[in-house]
Structure formats: structure tokens, C-alpha cells
Amino acid sequence: LSFFSHSSSPVPDSTSGSGSCQLRGHFNLNGMYQDGDLILGGLFEVHFLTVFPELSFTSEPEQPYFQYYIFQQAQTMAFAIDEINRNPKLLPNITLGYHMYDNCVKLAVAFRAAMALLSGTDEATSSVDCTGSPPVIGIVGDPGSTHSIAISSVLGLFRVPMVSYFATCSCLSHRRQYPSFFRTIPSDAFQVHAITQILKRFSWTWVGLVYSDDDYGIHAAHAFHQDVQVQLSGCVAYSEMLPRDNNRKDVRRIVEAIKASTARVVVVISTEAYLLPLMDEVALRNVTGRQWIASEAWATSPVFLTRRLLPYLGGTLGIAIRRGEIQGLRDFLLRLQPDSHPKNNMVQNFWEEMFGCTFDSGSIQADGEEEKKVCTGEEKLRNTDTAYTDISELRASYNVYKAVYALAHALHDLTTCKEGKGPFNGHICASLGNIQPWQVVDYLQKVNFTTGFGDHVSFDKDGNALAIYDVMNWQPNPDGSIKVHTVGMVDEASQADYVPRSVCSESCPPGTRRARRKGLPICCFDCLPCTDGEISNVTGESACTACPEEFWSSPEKDRCVPKEVEFLSYEEPLGISLTTASLFGSCFCAGVLGIFARHRHTPVVRANNSELSFLLLLSLKLCFMCVLLFIGQPQLWTCQLRHVAFGISFVLSVSSILVKTMVVVAVFKSSRPGGQSAMKWFGVAQQRGTVLVLTAFQVAICAAWLATASPTPYKNTRYVSSKIVYECAVGSVLWFATLLGYIGLLAAVSFLLAFLARNLPDNFNEAKFITFSMLIFCAVWITFVPAYISSPGKYSVAVEVFAILASSFGLLVAIFAPKCYIILLHPERNTKQAIMGRTTQKK
């Protein structure tokens, strides 16, 4: 078989040189075809590869296993289409055709086949721009849940209807994800409920669970766990997932778990492909005394109904999809002839498997192989007795039959639409010459008909069919094999009619708690939502549970989620603004420093000790840069360094200003009679020493603070209960107040001296600028204290950063802007005479 290879994607290409819409390539697929006015696609698992190839039920384990009962399902689709074409009341004057492909129980092959149906297989379409009627108007299949999920995700984009006859995963009921998916088999949501009802009927409350590693098994297992607790008040002894790969070790481990457990009932929700290795190991290890409960995927599978497995699987209970009867199907199956389908390689494969012959007369006999006879096409199917001709248990085939008729009835309703009463915008009908799949979806949702067997067919809003199951029991045949008997039925509709619900109050859903109604029995209560920070995650809770300290309740109040962590970050607008201001101030300082360095020999720069001016500019630059330590997630080193850097930088700035103020006063006194000695005692060395000593006091304060009560990162939950405010705890409020108080003391002294010297002659007017700068500085920090105390969370950090930036800009602009103004715009005033207040007399 060569249907695993492919050449390229079957996507139309409208960019070819010929100007026509062409396929880029073809997939080599096993299929059956019949032409018609409208084409229906079909996907079937005709060839079967086990998860463990060495356990395949064939003489040659490496080869695929041809499944006769699956081929019967494909032929049922052909029969339904033939029956519809012969019915003058259904789709008159329209002939249906089909394109059916074998997916080999492989997702890759199934997806390729679906893409071939979606894009077509002709070399060129009838339209140059790749428009017009699509190759298929709808698809019957795929039988696998995982396959259907993948395929429907693509088909849903184009609203191509897909009616599965065997995909049961409850996840496919999500209409927004799979808008064009329908099915004639019930959802797993009801299958799990039906299995639970069987367990409840026999009071089996201690059970084991085995499920397949695919969407079918995983979703059903999750629902089963919930149903056992809620509906059965029971427990799952163990929950084992069947391995996806060829891992005998995992299979042995699962069998050992089954043997070791005291649970005597084993529920298996799996497809037969995953289950075959497990049952082989069960037989090898002689695991008996277990009551097996089968899901619908294997409850009637003939591969397990063997004499070898009877001692282990005899007595199995399971649920199966509804059995039906189709008049005329057997005669149709027996009329199949290979020469009537010369291009249908699926028919050729079937004939070769059925009669052990080959149509390839030129094939070479391999060493050790028995030579096969040549097929004549005259072999008689009536002389065979296989699952292909057995119509006594039409289950999946019956679903295929209903799926084809559902599409046919949708097409019939579409073609008989009366103008002005259509379902589309403006009440228009579909164009009969260009029917689009998305138009069929609208009619398919409203399909409502009854089969010849008397079953009602319609779809709910999620595309699900009415849930009806047969309860099956595996009993021994006289020949030692297993016979499946129907022993009961589970009907969703009948349960809704005959099992009324009688409760005073419905159970409280997760996220709420019971509150007893005053004066009424205990069964009567109200459901009150849990308060913020508390949850209830099971049905019927009488009290809510508080979340741990670093967690908060979800909006539904059914689980605890980590609290949102809040701090002043570089990514938010506030953090970006403050960072930008910090960098701008730092660059501003660097620019002024550059101007002063270039004009360092001019009188404006040299006046009043240029060394202090350079020191002040460097300290202001540090003040701007220390702001960056306040932004970002607090770390131990940033918490320790932020206030230290801030305190020392500002003391350095303020002490420099204080000394500059003292120099102004000293120069003025030295210019008066008898005051020549004032500058002698306050020279350059004394100025440096004063700045150094004043700064050293702040360094000592910071060192003592870090040594005794160092600041640390702290997760604060007091501000907002639902958030964690990540901040730096100061460690000691006393040391923090001492640091700020020392800065305030120096600032007050500087302001006082500058204020007293404000009326000095104009040739010493720097004191006015210092007074103004210190006025800004003090005003900012006086307003800082109440604003800092009243600001919650990260905004207290923002207030402190704003105070640092505002006071730094105030000092920088008030002191250095006038000097830069003279240096850059009025260089004629940058002379010793102008600084000393002397004017040159005009001649």
C-alpha cells in the first residue's frame, strides 16, 4: 500500500503560467469514487495499523489489517447515495456522487484525505480565479475524535459541513471552535453518564479506569472522574493512560496495577487501536476475575470477540451506539463487483483481501511466500461469511446512513427554497448553480426527519444528535468465541420524560456556599457567592475556604490564583516618565558641566570657587541617577542602596551650596574695612574640609542604618487585599527620619544664610539665586512628607522620586541657569570688571 506518501499540498495555485487555477500536487490515497452533480466526501478507517505492529491480527504483522466491517460502512454510504438518487421525492433532478478515502487510522493520512476533498483532485478547475462550486459539498466522517478536531479546525474556517458518525469527544460540541461540525453519534458527555448509570445500577462504587492517550480518552476520563464523585458518590481506584508508542513496559505496568488493585470493575474508555496491546498482555498474565466495562468505541468490535480472550472478557458490559436496520443493504453489498469500479483501488484491495488473490498478474513471488492466484472478478461474495456481509448489528453503518441522509435533506431544503423566504441576508435563497458549503451548514442545523427504521434525526445547537445507547453483554458462543447481546437501552429523551427532578434547592455550584433559609427544612437553602479572597471548588459547599496569603480568589470564586504583584516598573507609563526625567536631568547636568569646563578660566565660572560649582554639578548628577534605583522590582541591593545614594548625594549637594553661601558672606566681609582677614580663615582648604565633614556625617548615619536595620524587599498586602505591593521596607523609621532630618537641617541653614545675604551689593548677588533654589528645595520636601504618607503602594515611591527630581531641577536651574545665560548669550558680561560691578567710561 502506498497511501502514506504524498508529493505536495493539495492547495490550488492560481499563479501558474497558464493562468488557470491548478493544484500544486496530489496525495496518493486509497479511495472510491462516483461522479454526480453534487459530491459528498467520506473518510473511513478501512485499513488498520495497531499501536504495536507486532500484535496485529494478520499473518504478516508489518502489513495493515483490512477491516471488513469498516468497508461495510463505506459501502453503506454508497448505498445511501444510490438510494437517494433513486428517490424521486428527495433531491429530484440532482444526482449525488461521492469521493471516499481510507484514513488508515492515521491522523496524517486523514488530514491529507480531507485536504484532497476540500481542494479537489482535478488538474484544473473550471474557474481561472479558483472560485465556483467546491469539489465536495459536505463530508461524512471522520470517525476519530482527534482526527475530527484537526480536520474540523480547518473545515470550520471555510464552513464546510462535516457530519461524523463515530467521533464522540465532548470537546467537539464547542460551536465557536467547530462551527460546521455535526455528528450522528452521541457526545461522550452522555456516554460517560450512561456508564455511570450502569455502575450505579449494580452499586459498583470502587472502580478502576483505563483510557487512551487521545482526545477521545482524555476528555471522557476527565468527565468520568467528575461523574463518579457527583452521581455515584464513588471513587476511582486507579487511572491509567494507555501508551501511545510501542512501550511494552508501560503496558505491563498498567496490567500490574489492575492485578494489584482491590477494584474488581475496570472501566475502559479507548479505541481498539490502543486497547489491543493491553488485552494481549491481560491474556499473557492470566488476569481473570475482573468485570470489564466497555465504551462504545470497542463494545462491539469484532477483533476482541475471539476464543482466546473469552476467559478474560466474557461477561463484559458495555454501551453501544444505537442499532438500526437498513432495508436492501445486504443485496447492495453482495452486488459489488471489482470490474464495475476499475478506478476504485479500495474495492480492488477489498476483493484481494476477501478472496486471497491479486489483480497484479505480473507480481513477483517473494521467497518463502505462497504464490497468490489471480483474481478473476467472478468470485462470489454470497459464498463468504465475514463482517462485511453481516448486517445483524448495524451500528456505525447506521450512523453513516443517517449522516448521508442528513446532508441530503439539508440539500433538498436548500434547493426547494422559495425566493423572498430564504435564510440569508435579504431573505434570499442559495444559487442552485453555485451552492456553497456554508449555505448547507445553515440548513443542516435545521434538519428534522425520520429514518425508515423509525428513528428521529435532528441536531441541537451544538450539532449533537439525540443520545440513545444500547447496553451490551459479552456472552460465550457454543464454538468458544464471544457473542455480543443487547440487554438494555439508555435513552436521553426517555429519561427526560420519565425521571422528574424533585429538589427544594439545586446544589450550589462552585464559587458559592449554602445559606439555610430561615424557617424551612435543611434541604431548602440559598446559594450565596463567596466573599473576595474565599473560594469553593466543589458543588454543594456549606462554607467557603480562604485563599493562602499570596493568593486571591478568581472572578468565579472557584479557585485561588496568585495575587497580582505591583511595583513601579520601567514598562508602565509612570515609570517611563520618571526614568525619562531622570535621564534628561542627568544629561542636563552633563551639558552644564561641559559648558563650565570649557569656560573654566572665565570670571563667571571662577567667581565664588569654581571647584565648588563642579562638585555641586557632579552631586546633582548623582541625585538624578539615584532615581533609577527606585524604579523596577525591589531587590535587596537596590533597597539598601537607594536611600543611601539619595541621602549622600543630597547632603553633598546641600553642603556644597552651604559652603558657597558662606563664601559669599566671607567675600563681602573681606571687602569691608577691617575685614581683610575673613577669607584668610575660610580659604579653599577650609571649604573642602567643610564639605567633606558635613558629608561624612551623612555617611556615618547611612552606615549605622545599614548595620542595625537595613532596608529589605517586602510584599505588602495591607493596601489592596487582591494585590501584593512589592516595596522596600525602610527597616528603621528612626534612621530614615534622621537621614531626612540631617538633609533638612543643612538646607535650613543654607536658606537662612542665603536669605540674610540677599541684600548684599549686586556684585555679590549669587546669594539671591541660592536663596531662591533653597526656597524651592525646602518647599518640595515640606510637601513631600504628607504626600508620601497618604500615597498607597507604588505611588509612595513615585512621590519620593518626584520630590528628588523636582528639588534637583530646582537647584540646577536656579543656580546655574543665570551663569549659563551670561556665558552663552552675553559673553561681554563675562569679564572681571562686570563681575566686580565696574563700568568703563566712554571717551
Side-chain angles (χ1 to χ4, degrees):
L1 294 173
S2 57
F3 36 80
F4 290 100
S5 63
H6 67 92
S7 54
S8 64
S9 171
V11 177
D13 184 0
S14 59
T15 60
S16 60
S18 64
S20 64
C21 181
Q22 295 182 340
L23 294 174
R24 295 177 180 174
H26 294 278
F27 294 134
N28 191 8
L29 298 165
N30 202 26
M32 294 194 301
Y33 316 93
Q34 178 176 298
D35 292 334
D37 301 325
L38 296 174
I39 304 297
L40 299 183
L43 298 173
F44 298 90
E45 300 174 341
V46 177
H47 284 87
F48 169 64
L49 288 168
T50 64
V51 177
F52 298 94
E54 67 272 15
L55 301 178
S56 178
F57 285 76
T58 63
S59 58
E60 298 180 3
E62 298 283 335
Q63 296 299 319
Y65 171 65
F66 194 97
Q67 302 189 97
Y68 293 118
Y69 72 102
I70 300 292
F71 186 70
Q72 181 199 79
Q73 296 169 15
Q75 284 297 105
T76 302
M77 178 175 175
F79 169 77
I81 290 176
D82 179 70
E83 191 176 60
I84 291 167
N85 288 338
R86 290 185 286 106
N87 187 346
K89 296 182 179 180
L90 187 61
L91 289 175
N93 304 319
I94 293 179
T95 301
L96 292 181
Y98 57 78
H99 286 178
M100 287 185 262
Y101 291 119
D102 180 6
N103 69 19
C104 303
V105 203
K106 294 292 181 181
L107 175 58
V109 181
F111 198 80
R112 293 168 190 167
M115 293 305 99
L117 293 172
L118 186 63
S119 301
T121 56
D122 291 340
E123 284 298 328
T125 66
S126 59
S127 174
V128 174
D129 58 355
C130 295
T131 60
S133 297
V136 295
I137 207 68
I139 295 177
V140 175
D142 187 288
S145 292
T146 298
H147 297 183
S148 293
I149 290 170
I151 295 169
S152 291
S153 299
V154 176
L155 296 186
L157 300 175
F158 304 97
R159 296 298 189 272
V160 177
M162 179 176 178
V163 186
S164 178
Y165 53 91
F166 214 67
T168 60
C169 181
S170 57
C171 57
L172 287 164
S173 297
H174 298 165
R175 215 59 183 142
R176 185 165 294 183
Q177 278 186 273
Y178 311 105
S180 61
F181 180 82
F182 299 83
R183 52 184 159 192
T184 53
I185 187 171
S187 163
D188 278 338
F190 189 74
Q191 176 186 192
V192 169
H193 180 67
I195 292 175
T196 307
Q197 292 303 306
I198 294 175
L199 298 177
K200 189 174 183 179
R201 175 72 173 79
F202 294 99
S203 300
W204 291 330
T205 58
W206 179 239
V207 299
L209 174 65
V210 178
Y211 60 96
S212 54
D213 182 13
D214 55 11
D215 293 287
Y216 169 71
I218 293 171
H219 284 84
H222 178 71
F224 179 76
H225 276 276
Q226 294 180 328
D227 254 27
V228 166
Q229 293 178 7
V230 178
Q231 303 294 334
L232 192 61
S233 298
C235 298
V236 178
Y238 54 85
S239 183
E240 297 289 347
M241 181 187 292
L242 293 169
R244 182 186 290 268
D245 57 354
N246 190 353
N247 193 331
R248 294 295 295 271
K249 183 178 178 181
D250 284 342
V251 175
R252 293 192 192 101
R253 179 185 55 78
I254 295 173
V255 173
E256 286 300 324
I258 295 173
K259 287 184 66 176
S261 176
T262 58
R264 291 294 179 262
V265 178
V266 185
V267 176
V268 182
I269 303 175
S270 171
T271 56
E272 57 190 21
Y274 285 92
L275 193 55
L276 275 169
L278 180 73
M279 290 309 174
D280 184 75
E281 193 68 25
V282 165
L284 288 175
R285 293 181 176 269
N286 194 30
V287 181
T288 59
R290 297 298 186 274
Q291 174 63 54
W292 298 87
I293 306 295
S295 66
E296 45 76 28
W298 67 282
T300 59
S301 176
V303 296
F304 300 107
L305 307 180
T306 63
R307 184 177 305 177
R308 177 172 176 255
L309 294 178
L310 175 62
Y312 316 102
L313 297 181
T316 293
L317 284 173
I319 60 171
I321 54 182
R322 170 75 163 165
R323 187 190 71 85
E325 294 180 4
I326 306 175
Q327 296 296 325
L329 176 61
R330 178 174 171 79
D331 291 337
F332 181 86
L333 296 175
L334 295 176
R335 286 201 303 267
L336 181 67
Q337 290 293 329
D339 53 2
S340 301
H341 305 79
K343 295 183 179 180
N344 291 351
N345 50 2
M346 194 187 297
V347 176
Q348 308 288 331
N349 293 155
F350 163 72
W351 204 265
E352 290 177 343
E353 290 286 341
M354 176 65 76
F355 297 104
C357 58
T358 178
F359 284 99
D360 186 4
S361 57
S363 61
I364 300 175
Q365 177 185 357
D367 293 339
E369 286 187 357
E370 183 180 343
E371 184 176 2
K372 288 186 176 181
K373 61 182 179 181
V374 176
C375 298
T376 64
E378 299 298 327
E379 293 84 359
K380 301 297 182 181
L381 284 173
R382 293 186 180 275
N383 298 331
T384 62
D385 183 16
T386 64
Y388 171 71
T389 56
D390 183 7
I391 63 169
S392 62
E393 292 290 327
L394 294 179
R395 299 184 186 277
S397 295
Y398 187 49
N399 279 355
V400 171
Y401 184 79
K402 290 190 289 186
V404 175
Y405 264 89
L407 285 167
H409 277 277
L411 288 169
H412 181 81
D413 294 341
L414 182 149
T415 56
T416 56
C417 172
K418 295 181 179 180
E419 285 299 331
K421 296 183 179 180
F424 309 115
N425 289 340
H427 300 289
I428 62 173
C429 297
S431 172
L432 299 184
N434 187 22
I435 299 175
Q436 297 298 317
W438 64 267
Q439 297 168 328
V440 181
V441 171
D442 188 80
Y443 284 95
L444 192 58
Q445 186 69 64
K446 303 171 185 176
V447 155
N448 194 329
F449 66 96
T450 302
T451 68
F453 188 58
D455 285 336
H456 177 72
V457 178
S458 63
F459 301 106
D460 64 14
K461 60 182 179 62
D462 297 319
N464 295 316
L466 186 65
I468 305 176
Y469 285 108
D470 288 335
V471 180
M472 314 304 295
N473 182 224
W474 292 16
Q475 299 174 7
N477 263 338
D479 62 358
S481 62
I482 300 174
K483 178 69 174 179
V484 181
H485 293 271
T486 302
V487 294
M489 186 177 72
V490 183
D491 190 340
E492 182 181 29
S494 63
Q495 286 192 3
D497 292 339
Y498 300 110
V499 185
R501 184 166 179 78
S502 179
V503 294
C504 180
S505 299
E506 294 289 345
S507 296
C508 292
T512 63
R513 63 175 178 85
R514 295 199 310 266
R516 184 174 175 180
R517 294 175 184 171
K518 189 175 181 180
L520 294 177
I522 193 172
C523 293
C524 301
F525 49 81
D526 293 316
C527 296
L528 302 181
C530 295
T531 58
D532 292 338
E534 295 184 343
I535 65 161
S536 66
N537 53 10
V538 296
T539 302
E541 281 278 31
S542 59
C544 298
T545 306
C547 290
E549 184 178 359
E550 293 191 2
F551 289 80
W552 195 248
S553 54
S554 64
E556 297 79 16
K557 306 294 177 64
D558 59 352
R559 67 187 186 281
C560 292
V561 296
K563 287 183 178 179
E564 178 186 349
V565 178
E566 181 182 86
F567 55 86
L568 185 61
S569 70
Y570 288 104
E571 287 79 16
E572 61 180 302
L574 181 59
I576 294 172
S577 302
L578 295 176
T579 302
T580 303
S582 169
L583 296 177
F584 175 73
S586 180
C587 294
F588 196 175
C589 283
V592 174
L593 190 62
I595 293 172
F596 269 51
R598 183 173 182 179
H599 299 85
R600 61 185 179 277
H601 300 298
T602 61
V604 168
V605 177
R606 296 183 61 187
N608 199 1
N609 194 343
S610 61
E611 185 177 324
L612 286 176
S613 296
F614 284 110
L615 183 61
L616 178 57
L617 284 169
L618 288 174
S619 62
L620 286 176
K621 185 176 179 65
L622 290 176
C623 290
F624 283 116
M625 294 303 294
C626 77
V627 164
L628 300 178
L629 296 172
F630 288 81
I631 305 174
Q633 181 172 330
Q635 306 287 339
L636 179 60
W637 68 273
T638 58
C639 288
Q640 293 176 336
L641 195 58
R642 62 169 58 169
H643 288 110
V644 170
F646 152 68
I648 295 174
S649 300
F650 264 87
V651 165
L652 187 60
S653 301
V654 176
S655 60
S656 299
I657 293 173
L658 176 59
V659 172
K660 285 175 73 70
T661 307
M662 295 169 68
V663 169
V664 171
V665 174
V667 170
F668 174 71
K669 287 186 176 181
S670 67
S671 66
R672 299 180 66 180
Q676 288 82 2
S677 62
M679 286 301 297
K680 177 182 178 181
W681 300 105
F682 202 66
V684 174
Q686 287 80 3
Q687 295 172 24
R688 293 173 183 167
T690 303
V691 172
L692 182 62
V693 170
L694 293 176
T695 305
F697 275 115
Q698 186 73 310
V699 172
I701 292 172
C702 293
W705 185 8
L706 294 177
T708 58
S710 173
T712 56
Y714 173 64
K715 294 180 178 180
N716 195 333
T717 58
R718 292 174 301 161
Y719 300 126
V720 183
S721 300
S722 61
K723 293 182 180 180
I724 295 176
V725 178
Y726 214 175
E727 60 185 12
C728 288
V730 295
S732 172
V733 177
L734 178 62
W735 283 117
F736 185 44
T738 303
L739 180 143
L740 293 177
Y742 183 62
I743 296 174
L745 176 63
L746 294 181
V749 173
S750 298
F751 174 71
L752 182 61
L753 284 178
F755 180 77
L756 294 175
R758 73 189 187 283
N759 293 323
L760 294 179
D762 288 345
N763 49 337
F764 301 109
N765 63 1
E766 189 176 17
K768 292 183 178 180
F769 302 131
I770 293 175
T771 302
F772 183 61
S773 67
M774 295 313 299
L775 183 63
I776 296 173
F777 185 89
C778 293
V780 168
W781 286 101
I782 288 172
T783 57
F784 159 75
V785 175
Y788 181 82
I789 294 174
S790 61
S791 298
K794 65 180 180 181
Y795 297 104
S796 63
V797 180
V799 167
E800 187 171 358
V801 170
F802 180 79
I804 294 171
L805 292 173
S807 55
S808 300
F809 274 113
L811 296 178
L812 180 63
V813 173
I815 295 175
F816 291 98
K819 294 186 178 184
C820 290
Y821 176 77
I822 292 174
I823 293 172
L824 298 177
L825 301 180
H826 293 282
E828 72 278 2
R829 294 167 56 184
N830 192 4
T831 63
K832 187 175 182 180
Q833 291 79 6
I835 295 298
M836 299 300 296
R838 301 170 185 168
T839 59
T840 304
Q841 299 291 332
K842 292 183 179 181
K843 293 183 179 181

